[in-house]
Amino acid sequence: MDFYAMKSFNASDYMAIVKEMEDGFIVRIVRDRDGYEEVTTDFMTKLLFESCLRTGYIRKIDQPEKLAANS
């Protein structure tokens, strides 16, 4: 699975590609919301994905940072 950091106020927000399709990707977006994970799954076109990479909104990472529990 490929992981991408997302430009946001929270450095631990990331996106994972779940499945590649002919016209895009099924992605899982994980955001830190005051200590708990908000997880959404959605479709992203290849055009939008490539645009996000090009503009720096997302960047590839080895693995996501885990949320710190009660820190």
Side-chain angles (χ1 to χ4, degrees):
M1 189 176 303
D2 291 334
F3 298 99
Y4 294 85
M6 298 172 18
K7 187 179 278 188
S8 70
F9 293 111
N10 216 328
S12 61
D13 293 353
Y14 69 93
M15 176 179 74
I17 295 179
V18 176
K19 181 178 181 182
E20 183 173 355
M21 303 171 78
E22 184 176 316
D23 55 345
F25 304 95
I26 302 296
V27 296
R28 178 172 294 124
I29 300 169
V30 181
R31 294 183 178 267
D32 179 2
R33 296 288 185 226
D34 296 325
Y36 74 92
E37 288 185 345
E38 176 185 272
V39 180
T40 57
T41 303
D42 209 343
F43 176 80
M44 177 182 263
T45 66
K46 286 187 176 183
L47 182 63
L48 177 58
F49 180 82
E50 290 170 5
S51 178
C52 289
L53 273 176
R54 192 172 50 255
T55 60
Y57 182 75
I58 60 173
R59 64 180 171 80
K60 189 165 180 151
I61 57 175
D62 291 330
Q63 62 184 8
E65 292 180 25
K66 295 297 179 191
L67 298 175
N70 299 328
S71 46

